Amino acid sequence: TIQRIESGDVRPRISTLKLLSESLGCESSSLNGLTSTDQNPAYRKTILLPVVMGIVYLINWIFYMPILPVQGQIFQYISPLILAVIHMVSAIFFYYGFYLTGSFHQNKLLQFAAVIIMILVPLFVISDFVALASSLNFIPQLKQLLVIVLGCNSVLFGAGLLKMQGELKNTGLPDCSNFY
């Protein structure tokens, strides 16, 4: 049984993990790859707000970014400033969820990339309003620089997520490695 589990031929039952953990004198969570934070209801409760804010961020982004032909009609009813504030706040909370996940799984790369995004999104939005309110000539170059830094940071963010995939392999979540 142990040989088949180690070779990946079978997935052990919880009862098998409990028997093995008792025999080895360790917690069953250390055998199945779960840390205590994965099973911690406080972690799940803490991550709920970032998930909800991610949904708000997505919906608001559709109206905030100029991708819909009806955007002009929407701005009759909703101030661009209100959309910008919602965009910044929801982005910060959404990426804070990635920061929390990185901290729970001791993934410094994901934490770092999430903090950079939490800083860059508000800077980008503020630069939009500064560009509208002033005639400063360097604002377009500043926005280009922010986009470049955000793009480079996306590579770090992706690397942090890939690192998480390795850490989360045995957590009972679906294996997505066949999708690439």
Side-chain angles (χ1 to χ4, degrees):
T1 301
I2 293 173
Q3 182 182 8
R4 289 181 25 216
I5 292 170
E6 287 177 343
S7 67
D9 292 339
V10 296
R11 199 172 210 155
R13 294 187 188 123
I14 293 176
S15 59
T16 306
L17 289 174
K18 285 183 181 181
L19 285 172
L20 288 171
S21 65
E22 288 172 10
S23 299
L24 296 171
C26 63
E27 292 186 29
S28 62
S29 62
S30 64
L31 294 176
N32 66 4
L34 292 175
T35 62
S36 59
T37 55
D38 293 322
Q39 300 167 345
N40 187 346
Y43 171 71
R44 290 176 185 227
K45 197 174 192 180
T46 304
I47 209 74
L48 181 62
L49 178 63
V51 169
V52 170
M53 292 309 277
I55 295 167
V56 171
Y57 179 58
L58 173 66
I59 293 168
N60 184 69
W61 184 84
I62 292 169
F63 297 112
Y64 179 69
M65 294 294 161
I67 59 172
L68 295 176
V70 296
Q71 186 182 27
Q73 297 167 358
I74 292 170
F75 280 149
Q76 296 175 35
Y77 307 107
I78 303 172
S79 164
L81 181 62
I82 292 171
L83 288 174
V85 169
I86 293 170
H87 186 74
M88 285 189 301
V89 170
S90 61
I92 289 169
F93 278 104
F94 175 61
Y95 286 105
Y96 182 66
F98 285 101
Y99 175 83
L100 287 174
T101 301
S103 68
F104 280 124
H105 292 282
Q106 299 165 351
N107 186 334
K108 299 288 185 195
L109 185 59
L110 186 61
Q111 285 180 282
F112 176 76
V115 168
I116 296 299
I117 293 173
M118 288 189 290
I119 294 168
L120 290 178
V121 168
L123 285 176
F124 196 82
V125 172
I126 290 168
S127 71
D128 280 342
F129 282 95
V130 170
L132 290 174
S134 70
S135 60
L136 298 173
N137 295 333
F138 67 89
I139 297 298
Q141 289 82 11
L142 175 65
K143 289 178 72 169
Q144 287 175 345
L145 177 66
L146 290 173
V147 168
I148 290 169
V149 172
L150 190 58
C152 293
N153 187 63
S154 296
V155 173
L156 295 176
F157 191 78
L161 290 174
L162 287 174
K163 183 178 178 205
M164 288 290 297
Q165 180 186 3
E167 293 174 7
L168 297 176
K169 230 173 199 156
N170 297 322
T171 60
L173 296 173
D175 181 17
C176 299
S177 60
N178 298 332
F179 294 126
Y180 354 90

